[in-house]
Amino acid sequence: MSADSVTVYVVSDSAGDTGELAVRAAAAQFHPLQVQIRRIGFIQSCEAIDAVLAMAAKDSGILLFTLVIPNLRNHMVERAANENIVAIDLLGPLIENMERRFGRPSRHEPGLNHVLDAGYFRKVEAVEFAVRYDDARDVTGIGKADIVLTGVSRTSKTPLSMVLAHKTFKVANVPLVPELTPPRELFLVNPKKVIGLTIRTEALNAIRKERLKALGLPDSASYATLARIEQELEFAHRIMKKIGCVIIDVSNKAVEETASLILEHFQK
């Protein structure tokens, strides 16, 4: 992540609309600097929070959260402090002051400003699925998923999984690395469910250099060299060809744009 861009993770035990609106209002004050918003809603467990914290740590991102369930909020505050991750509690201080003013505790129930219909619970289930089966953490998710994303590192697999989850799709994603044999489940699943993500060599080179800079590492590391990237992309293309899946080039595309292309494919 460069000095001219930052990723803000909006985390909620409900839909996350409130947090995203707040971030967009703040981001407008920094135009034309880039603020990427990654909304992760319907968080229901401490394990899911830990997964989001790991994502934010990787991107040197900022967390803004609207968690009203006490144990989730406390876990977020404690873990973020331990990991030195900037985490902003949007609702907590306001709720605490209102509790003191009214002399009674709040209901601690997420989503009270949303209709709790079947669609809401499908989103909850889909987001939990995306977190559980991110980065091939558990390969059994490949067979259970509505959509399986695969590609080399930094092709937006995780952000795409979250965007699609908010469309109620259960998404698993699988990284492709030349030194690792892809899980056999990737070749057994219906290829129509698999989306291969590719990217131009030069575009990925620029992204990885920025990533290394954000980590305080030299951009000459093998991870970002053209030779290494070409090796990875060639390997990934061989795997995708073997699977027989659709391949989408994500070069210079916003995550939302790629998600729209994936949704169009499945609607067809």
Side-chain angles (χ1 to χ4, degrees), residues 21 46 61 115 130 139 171 200 204 230 245:
L21 287 171
C46 293
V115 178
V139 296
V171 185
R200 291 197 301 273
L204 185 54
E230 288 171 355
C245 63

Side-chain angles (χ1 to χ4, degrees), residues 30-50:
F30 294 91
H31 183 77
L33 302 181
Q34 292 185 329
V35 177
Q36 301 291 332
I37 300 173
R38 299 282 179 260
R39 182 163 63 165
I40 304 175
F42 310 108
I43 292 294
Q44 301 291 311
S45 68
C46 293
E47 291 76 15
I49 289 174
D50 291 341

